[in-house]
Amino acid sequence: MSSYGDLLRWGEQRLDHSQRAGFLLEDAAARSLVWLRAHAKDAAPADIEQRYRDWVERVAGGEPDAYVSGVTHFWKLRLRVTPDVLIPRPDTETLVESALEMGGERPQRVADLGTGSGAVALSLALERPTWQIIGTDRSAAALDVARRNALDCAFSGVRWRQGNWYDAFATDERFDGLVSNPPYVASDDPALAPAVRQYEPASAVIADDNGLADLSVLIGQAPDHLHPRGWLAVEHGYAQAEAVAALFARAGFTDIQCRKDLAGHPRVTCGRLR
Ligand SMILES: C[S@@+](CC[C@H](N)C(=O)[O-])C[C@H]1O[C@@H](n2cnc3c(N)ncnc32)[C@H](O)[C@@H]1O
């Protein structure tokens, strides 16, 4: 039997001295790192030790931490993730910020297309309790994860619909705002990290037409589902900003703006219908 301190030291060594061992032990033991350090000399229960050692070995083998522990953090939320959903990325917080700015404070109806774990829809629900929010996805398994996260966050007001982009809506159904982080990586993109290719769902990451196929549908058909002066915010690859701005202009959007992510790369484009 090992103490919490022994387990932390072992994990840190196994994971090249990274802080990830501490996060894994927090999740395996359901205790904060502060508590674990304060109880460093206490013997860890056998089931916790076994779970933690198994998780550390899987992470050392290349599996993403969030799939191993089943949780990640996004915006101000702790979210469950499974291999059925993309692990929400910090860069996508730029999309949340953009949607909050585009929508402002007034009550409105907003859809998050391709919601995955529900990360964007639930972050908007947290910040704008008066908004009516619908999260959609083509994947039933992803929507199960999103529903579970909504229950955990006690956001009973968010609704979920399954469908291929706008097929999730009635033909005449309109919103004040639409937000989406669709698949936008080309299948042959050499920058695609091997761990993403190996572990994350390809249907959440890869898009045809050099990564622009889904963006093209989402932007091109958005005017059919927005009220006049309605807004659209989409995440895209850093090299796609020009092509995405052209799609916005072609679809009839004005006030087209591109925002940068945490690394300073163009990441989110927003626009408003005339
Ligand atoms: C990049 S992930 C984004 C997930 C989540 N919104 C986030 O930001 O973490 C794209 C999501 O779009 C969904 N998706 C892909 N193609 C779709 C389609 N044709 N119709 C609806 N959803 C789709 C995937 O299942 C996946 O959940």
Side-chain angles (χ1 to χ4, degrees):
M1 212 179 252
S2 311
S3 69
Y4 288 114
D6 293 339
L7 288 180
L8 262 180
R9 278 186 292 279
W10 169 79
E12 281 164 2
Q13 264 186 350
R14 192 74 189 86
L15 298 176
D16 298 328
H17 304 283
S18 82
Q19 293 181 331
R20 297 153 78 198
F23 298 138
L24 288 171
L25 189 54
E26 276 189 318
D27 286 328
R31 297 282 190 184
S32 72
L33 206 49
V34 173
W35 186 96
L36 292 165
R37 292 203 190 286
H39 292 78
K41 292 189 176 150
D42 292 4
D47 58 331
I48 290 176
E49 174 169 355
Q50 195 178 342
R51 184 181 314 137
Y52 170 72
R53 287 190 187 274
D54 170 54
W55 286 3
V56 168
E57 290 302 348
R58 285 168 60 190
V59 167
E63 241 180 286
D65 304 35
Y67 288 151
V68 169
S69 65
V71 292
T72 193
H73 295 266
F74 179 83
W75 198 252
K76 299 165 194 168
L77 303 172
R78 182 177 189 272
L79 298 173
R80 293 169 193 260
V81 288
T82 72
D84 291 313
V85 298
L86 185 95
I87 300 166
R89 306 294 204 270
D91 283 342
T92 301
E93 296 189 349
T94 305
L95 182 65
V96 174
E97 286 165 358
S98 305
L100 292 173
E101 262 180 54
M102 292 299 288
E105 302 279 346
R106 71 177 177 85
Q108 55 196 282
R109 200 159 177 260
V110 174
D112 169 29
L113 293 120
T115 197
S117 62
V120 173
L122 295 172
S123 302
L124 296 179
L126 176 71
E127 301 300 333
R128 297 286 190 269
T130 63
W131 288 11
Q132 283 176 41
I133 298 169
I134 298 181
T136 80
D137 211 286
R138 189 172 52 182
S139 157
L143 287 172
D144 284 345
V145 176
R147 282 194 189 94
R148 196 73 201 273
N149 279 323
L151 277 178
D152 289 350
C153 300
F155 291 151
S156 54
V158 180
R159 297 281 174 258
W160 308 100
R161 295 218 206 139
Q162 191 181 358
N164 179 19
W165 298 136
Y166 295 105
D167 293 352
F169 308 134
T171 41
D172 58 351
E173 192 169 1
R174 290 184 188 263
F175 294 84
D176 300 289
L178 297 170
V179 58
S180 183
N181 173 18
Y184 55 73
V185 181
S187 61
D188 59 354
D189 188 336
L192 186 59
V196 176
R197 207 181 275 284
Q198 186 175 353
Y199 292 105
E200 303 211 43
S203 55
V205 178
I206 308 284
D208 289 340
D209 191 15
N210 218 15
L212 287 168
D214 292 296
L215 283 160
S216 183
V217 171
L218 281 164
I219 300 164
Q221 295 179 19
D224 298 338
H225 293 282
L226 281 171
H227 293 301
R229 301 299 294 158
W231 55 270
L232 170 67
V234 296
E235 181 171 325
H236 50 74
Y238 67 87
Q240 293 170 329
E242 236 176 86
V244 168
L247 289 168
F248 268 72
R250 200 175 311 147
F253 284 90
T254 57
D255 306 335
I256 302 164
Q257 292 170 35
C258 182
R259 289 157 199 252
K260 293 187 172 155
D261 63 20
L262 301 168
H265 296 127
R267 184 62 62 192
V268 171
T269 295
C270 309
R272 205 172 276 285
L273 273 191
R274 288 178 217 278

